[in-house]
Amino acid sequence: MRLRTDDDIYRARLVYLGPPGYTLPIQLPYAQYGVFALMVPLFMFIRYLITLHVDYFPAYEIALAIVATSLIFRYVDPDRPARMVVRTALTDWRHTREPSTELRDARLVASKVRIRPELTGDLA
C-alpha cells in the first residue's frame, strides 16, 4: 500500500508547455522528451541492422519511439523513475523464465539391494 505524500514539490510535474506565447496542444514532462530522443536513434539502429538502409524521414522509428515512451511512462511515478522501470523490464526479460515443458526428476528405485559381506562382517 502506498501513502500519499504531503510534499507538493514531490508531486509537481516538470512540464514543457511550449515557447512563450505558443502553447503546445500536449503537455509532456521533460523526461518523456529525453526518453523519446534516446528511443528514435535506438530504433533507427535496430532497423539499420535488419535492413542495412537508413530512411531520410524515420516515420516507423518515430511511431515506435512514441509507443515505447508511452509504455515506459505508464509505470513511472514519483516513487519509481523511468530508469528503474527500464532496468526492471530488462532484468525480468533476461531472467526468471519457467521452462515451457515440465521437467520431472529422475525416479530412484532400488529394485534389488545388495550388501557387501565385508560391510556386515560375514566373511565366511
Side-chain angles (χ1 to χ4, degrees):
M1 180 171 103
R2 289 194 193 163
L3 300 174
R4 284 186 58 107
T5 179
D6 294 338
D7 192 1
D8 291 333
I9 301 270
Y10 197 57
R11 280 187 268 143
R13 289 180 57 202
L14 299 173
V15 176
Y16 177 68
L17 299 175
Y22 300 100
T23 306
L24 294 174
I26 57 172
Q27 295 181 2
L28 297 175
Y30 287 114
Q32 284 188 359
Y33 288 109
V35 170
F36 174 78
L38 292 175
M39 292 300 234
V40 171
L42 175 72
F43 285 125
M44 288 177 70
F45 180 70
I46 291 171
R47 184 171 181 194
Y48 176 76
L49 290 177
I50 295 170
T51 64
L52 298 177
H53 182 322
V54 177
D55 289 332
Y56 292 115
F57 181 70
Y60 293 120
E61 290 83 352
I62 290 172
L64 286 172
I66 289 171
V67 170
T69 303
S70 66
L71 287 175
I72 290 170
F73 277 85
R74 186 176 294 174
Y75 300 102
V76 171
D77 58 10
D79 295 326
R80 191 181 312 130
R83 68 178 173 272
M84 294 308 294
V85 171
V86 172
R87 181 189 295 172
T88 303
L90 291 175
T91 302
D92 288 348
W93 176 64
R94 287 184 292 188
H95 302 293
T96 65
R97 288 238 172 124
E98 292 293 326
S100 59
T101 59
E102 182 181 354
L103 299 175
R104 303 183 93 185
D105 292 333
R107 278 180 52 189
L108 301 174
V109 178
S111 58
K112 184 176 180 182
V113 178
R114 290 182 280 163
I115 300 175
R116 294 186 312 222
E118 54 267 2
L119 292 177
T120 60
D122 297 333
L123 296 174

